[in-house]
Amino acid sequence: MKQILTWLIIAICVSTANGQSPLIIPPALSGTTFNLTVQSGTHTFFPGYSTPTYGVNGAFLGPTLIINQGDSVHLNVTNSLPVTTTMHWHGLHVPAMADGGPEQIISPGTTWQPVIKMMNNAGTYWYHPHGEGKTDLQVSKGIAGMIIVKDPVEAALTLPRTYGVDDFPVIVQTKAFDVLRQIAIATEDDTLLMVNGTLDPYLDAPAQVVRLRLLAGSSMRSYMFGFSGNLPFKLIANDGGLLDTSTTLTRIRLSPGERAEVLLDLTGKTGQTIYLRNFGSELPAGIYGSAVAGTGAAVIPFYNLNHLNGSDFDVMKLNVVAPTASPVTSIPAALATLAPWPASTADTTRTFSFDPKIADSSTYAMGPFTINDTSFNMGNVNVVTHINNTEIWTLINNTMIAHPFHVHDVFFYILDINGVPPPVYERGKKDVVLVMPGDTVRFITKFEDFADETTPYMYHCHLLHHEDDGMMGQFIVMPDKTAVKPVNKDADIQLYPNPAKSSLTITTNNQTPSPTDNLTIYNAIGAKVYSAPLQHSHTVSTSNWPSGIYHAVITVNNKVINKAFVVE
Ligand code: C2O
Ligand code: CU
Ligand code: CU
């Protein structure tokens, strides 16, 4: 069935790959109050089929939010879906409560109203849902939109910045569809390519310097963008805004979640046709989007059936038309001042290793995958840091597929990839970095604002299938160094090692438990094997306990928390 559909789609694509439809430019909203309604709708991707979709203030995708640095902004997100959702502001530096992670659930019929102060630099960011286990489905069905931040540094430069005229949002997505032409979530997203939701798009671009804000918005696919005829372009910004200088490139690789602002000088090219292309054949093996999504002996057979993987194809046609009245015709060399933290200033270093969850799946690109041998658990805080801590994070990919690692709250500077400084297009402020199989990437970041003892931020793989499968962790930013543990919720209780061998340690955040707080451990048939007044930390000898499943039942403030663990 799968193969039949694939062939059917190829036929459709081939018959229409000529740049037939004007690129949809999502409506822009600006000001300080943004009313966003998440809703369901339908869209025609296949002639004669109406496909159910989700969108924001419309049937598919959402408006572009244009926000000035320094503004206090009201984001009113109303959920008119029949299911819960969340809304995350990818790349924005906002308090954990406003971040829209899996905990900030928006129930059907309700409105979530975070108020944020825009602290980011001018740049291209985006928003999308982030519900536990639901991100891929909801993003794939169409909930995503661009955020453009403006600031005085950017405003002082001679750059194209008229939205939809010489400054264009370019949200590139590939999606999977099932045989009923419904948007499917799958380990691949290989059926249709679209830009801003437009199939087979063309853009009338004026014959002057134009700015494309590229967002790699697929669930899984990475792109190797370039232009027909190897037309050079200038990279001016990546994830976190302007680079220090503009750089001439002919290719830029973007993985899910990453952004790049590129300038194309079309001066004097009126009447010409230029294609934005994906050079998928140039993506190294191991990246989803290349011919071989996983490296190593075994390759999942149906990756090889995918017509987009490993091939070069047009993403969008640019028809160069007459210039506008006051065109930008030159590109500044110097852009912004970047001040990366020197590696020597790091207070803490941490390591994050990516591994297959099940050893046998190590030869596959499918997962599930873990970070530090742990799957996402809303009840667990994986990393506790504190305000003003400067940290080096070392990412080690022990799997056969490349993972785009993303961290919320902060941006980072890549220090090195296997000991070598990053390529030019990965310098600057990043919030996603693609870690190739076998690679080690180090970055430096600083947790400068927004202490919150109870609300975590996320870090995760931005392949949405991997994220939903648990390749995600949580961190909490404490107000100071001496505040040891986050407080409240079942996130408070840590049991380790699990499985326990000779002993089990149980810690709670609760530094001073009340006398009525209690820890009791039951075996699998419900017999009490241990009971004691709760302390901040217990170590229980398990060496004489038969192996099996046990339950630690902790009573805190009359709240009962039950956590299972295993004795080996
Ligand atoms: Cu684009 Cu955790 O998100
Ligand atoms: Cu994010
Ligand atoms: Cu991944």
Side-chain angles (χ1 to χ4, degrees):
M1 207 50 128
K2 159 93 208 151
Q3 196 168 5
I4 292 168
L5 181 67
T6 302
W7 283 107
L8 178 83
I9 300 318
I10 289 169
I12 291 171
C13 291
V14 166
S15 67
T16 60
N18 302 309
Q20 295 287 320
S21 312
L23 179 72
I24 296 166
I25 303 294
L29 302 178
S30 57
T32 54
T33 300
F34 296 87
N35 295 316
L36 304 174
T37 300
V38 182
Q39 56 193 75
S40 48
T42 60
H43 187 80
T44 302
F45 294 101
F46 302 94
Y49 289 85
S50 154
T51 298
T53 54
Y54 290 161
V56 179
N57 298 357
F60 193 71
L61 295 181
T64 297
L65 315 183
I66 300 181
I67 305 177
N68 291 318
Q69 188 184 58
D71 278 359
S72 284
V73 173
H74 294 252
L75 298 158
N76 303 322
V77 185
T78 298
N79 180 8
S80 70
L81 298 177
V83 295
T84 61
T85 191
T86 55
M87 197 61 84
H88 168 57
W89 322 103
H90 180 130
L92 296 191
H93 181 50
V94 296
M97 284 300 293
D99 191 49
E103 294 198 2
Q104 284 105 45
I105 290 170
I106 314 172
S107 298
T110 66
T111 300
W112 178 57
Q113 302 181 290
V115 181
I116 61 162
K117 184 170 161 92
M118 179 52 69
M119 294 170 74
N120 284 70
N121 292 327
T124 303
Y125 307 91
W126 64 304
Y127 58 94
H128 62 77
H130 218 298
E132 189 183 11
K134 291 179 165 180
T135 300
D136 195 5
L137 179 66
Q138 297 196 348
V139 174
S140 294
K141 286 192 84 167
I143 314 176
M146 192 171 271
I147 301 171
I148 294 175
V149 176
K150 306 237 173 193
D151 75 6
V153 172
E154 192 269 353
L157 296 166
T158 304
L159 293 172
R161 61 172 66 80
T162 309
Y163 184 79
V165 174
D166 58 7
D167 180 354
F168 302 98
V170 181
I171 304 172
V172 184
Q173 296 178 302
T174 46
K175 293 182 190 289
F177 289 80
D178 64 19
V179 289
L180 298 173
R181 314 309 196 263
Q182 313 270 303
I183 294 169
I185 56 165
T187 53
E188 48 181 341
D189 52 48
D190 200 45
T191 312
L192 287 185
L193 169 82
M194 56 196 74
V195 182
N196 303 343
T198 324
L199 299 176
D200 195 21
Y202 74 83
L203 172 66
D204 287 338
Q208 62 204 57
V209 177
V210 298
R211 182 180 196 162
L212 302 180
R213 295 174 187 264
L214 302 173
L215 161 60
S218 288
S219 295
M220 299 292 286
R221 178 173 311 280
S222 291
Y223 298 88
M224 183 70 89
F225 288 117
F227 293 91
S228 51
N230 283 331
L231 188 71
F233 57 88
K234 293 270 189 189
L235 176 71
I236 58 165
N238 57 15
D239 297 347
L242 293 171
L243 299 172
D244 48 4
T245 54
S246 55
T247 309
T248 305
L249 297 174
T250 56
R251 295 286 187 274
I252 185 165
R253 189 193 72 201
L254 291 185
S255 295
E258 289 185 304
R259 292 85 68 203
E261 295 178 22
V262 304
L263 301 185
L264 206 53
D265 190 353
L266 302 177
T267 306
K269 292 187 166 25
T270 308
Q272 293 186 20
T273 300
I274 292 160
Y275 290 89
L276 170 66
R277 288 177 63 74
N278 175 48
F279 294 90
S281 67
E282 297 174 16
L283 286 170
I287 298 181
Y288 185 88
S290 72
V292 184
T295 61
V299 171
I300 300 165
F302 54 58
Y303 279 121
N304 294 332
L305 294 178
N306 294 343
H307 66 290
L308 296 181
N309 287 353
S311 54
D312 299 345
F313 50 84
D314 295 335
V315 173
M316 179 168 74
K317 181 180 176 181
L318 300 168
N319 297 321
V320 186
V321 299
T324 61
S326 39
V328 174
T329 53
S330 65
I331 298 174
L335 300 169
T337 306
L338 300 180
W341 305 280
S344 60
T345 62
D347 302 295
T348 305
T349 62
R350 303 179 197 274
T351 299
F352 298 82
S353 69
F354 311 159
D355 290 283
K357 186 169 187 177
I358 304 151
D360 277 357
S361 69
S362 61
T363 49
Y364 294 104
M366 295 181 90
F369 299 103
T370 57
I371 301 176
N372 291 343
D373 288 321
T374 311
S375 289
F376 181 68
N377 177 341
M378 223 147 83
N380 282 347
V381 173
N382 306 88
V383 169
V384 178
T385 184
H386 61 87
I387 281 293
N388 285 326
N389 214 41
T390 303
E391 305 200 355
I392 293 175
W393 286 21
T394 302
L395 314 174
I396 302 172
N397 184 355
N398 299 317
T399 79
M400 300 296 189
I401 186 169
H403 303 276
F405 184 87
H406 169 52
V407 55
H408 290 205
D409 175 26
V410 291
F411 64 83
F412 54 79
Y413 291 100
I414 300 173
L415 290 171
D416 43 49
I417 301 172
N418 300 327
V420 177
V424 162
Y425 66 86
E426 294 204 288
R427 297 184 195 163
K429 297 174 175 177
K430 293 285 294 166
D431 58 54
V432 179
V433 58
L434 185 71
V435 188
M436 290 294 289
D439 274 12
T440 297
V441 172
R442 294 193 318 144
F443 67 68
I444 188 163
T445 187
K446 188 170 183 185
F447 300 90
E448 292 181 307
D449 305 282
F450 310 134
D452 183 328
E453 301 184 21
T454 58
T455 312
Y457 292 104
M458 308 294 134
Y459 56 84
H460 57 92
C461 174
H462 219 290
L463 300 187
L464 301 184
H465 187 71
H466 295 181
E467 174 189 333
D468 283 348
D469 261 359
M471 197 178 177
M472 175 154 74
Q474 308 195 90
F475 68 96
I476 280 206
V477 183
M478 299 297 284
D480 58 71
K481 238 184 203 142
T482 55
V484 190
K485 284 273 183 177
V487 184
N488 126 36
K489 298 187 318 200
D490 44 314
D492 295 358
I493 313 294
Q494 309 280 342
L495 281 70
Y496 57 90
N498 183 9
K501 293 193 171 68
S502 56
S503 70
L504 175 77
T505 299
I506 298 170
T507 61
T508 76
N509 309 326
N510 207 340
Q511 298 290 338
T512 51
S514 84
T516 55
D517 294 347
N518 174 275
L519 163 68
T520 304
I521 299 176
Y522 298 91
N523 66 15
I525 55 166
K528 191 185 287 187
V529 295
Y530 179 83
S531 185
L534 189 67
Q535 294 157 24
H536 171 55
S537 175
H538 295 253
T539 298
V540 180
S541 168
T542 58
S543 52
N544 295 324
W545 296 7
S547 42
I549 295 176
Y550 290 77
H551 290 266
V553 177
I554 297 134
T555 317
V556 188
N557 299 330
N558 299 319
K559 219 184 118 201
V560 176
I561 298 153
N562 182 333
K563 283 215 157 188
F565 65 95
V566 171
V567 172
E568 272 185 358

